[in-house]
Amino acid sequence: QVQLVESGGGLVQAGGSLRLSCAASGRAFSSTAMGWFRQAPGKEREFVAAINWSGGSTYYADSMKGRFTISRDNAKNTVYLQMNSLKPEDTAVYYCAAKVSGGRYYYTSSYDYWGQGTQVTVSS
């Protein structure tokens, strides 16, 4: 079992920045790949970014490349999502997820554990 708790969401103006954190407990965090997804009202949950167990490989959705950065600190059992140059269309609930088994990083079905989400609202 893995428990995930997101934090760092909030209200920010367009062009601003936020850093989301996801604290993990339970299963060995340092051997678990992690991902961030988001879901806007009326839309499906979509892939944002992912990072492998060591932090040596990262993956991004095309629309986030160059603006978002995923990182992890295995000593703190935490994964981060630094979001810069935020746009109103980035408004969504952001979810942290842990990927224990196989599967593509960008599929929600590849992830085994999910946090409750944190709201990010970007005003224009």
Side-chain angles (χ1 to χ4, degrees):
Q1 283 284 351
V2 177
Q3 293 78 42
L4 304 171
V5 178
E6 302 96 336
S7 62
L11 174 64
V12 64
Q13 288 189 333
S17 299
L18 280 175
R19 189 176 82 154
L20 306 183
S21 299
C22 173
S25 61
R27 189 183 187 277
F29 176 78
S30 60
S31 62
T32 304
M34 301 295 294
W36 285 98
F37 288 76
R38 69 185 186 184
Q39 188 166 18
K43 295 188 177 181
E44 293 187 354
R45 194 169 296 189
E46 65 172 346
F47 172 73
V48 173
I51 189 167
N52 76 334
W53 65 274
S54 67
S57 296
T58 56
Y59 311 86
Y60 297 93
D62 287 343
S63 61
M64 287 71 165
K65 287 180 181 177
R67 299 192 301 126
F68 292 8
T69 303
I70 189 171
S71 61
R72 66 190 297 160
D73 185 338
N74 286 346
K76 295 182 177 179
N77 283 8
T78 302
V79 63
Y80 304 98
L81 184 68
Q82 177 67 44
M83 305 186 295
N84 299 328
S85 302
L86 284 163
K87 307 173 182 179
E89 50 265 43
D90 293 318
T91 295
V93 177
Y94 284 70
Y95 296 91
C96 171
K99 180 176 173 298
V100 175
S101 51
R104 302 281 187 176
Y105 281 100
Y106 41 83
Y107 289 147
T108 56
S109 58
S110 297
Y111 292 78
D112 304 278
Y113 302 97
W114 293 83
Q116 293 300 307
T118 185
Q119 177 71 47
V120 171
T121 303
V122 184
S123 62
S124 57

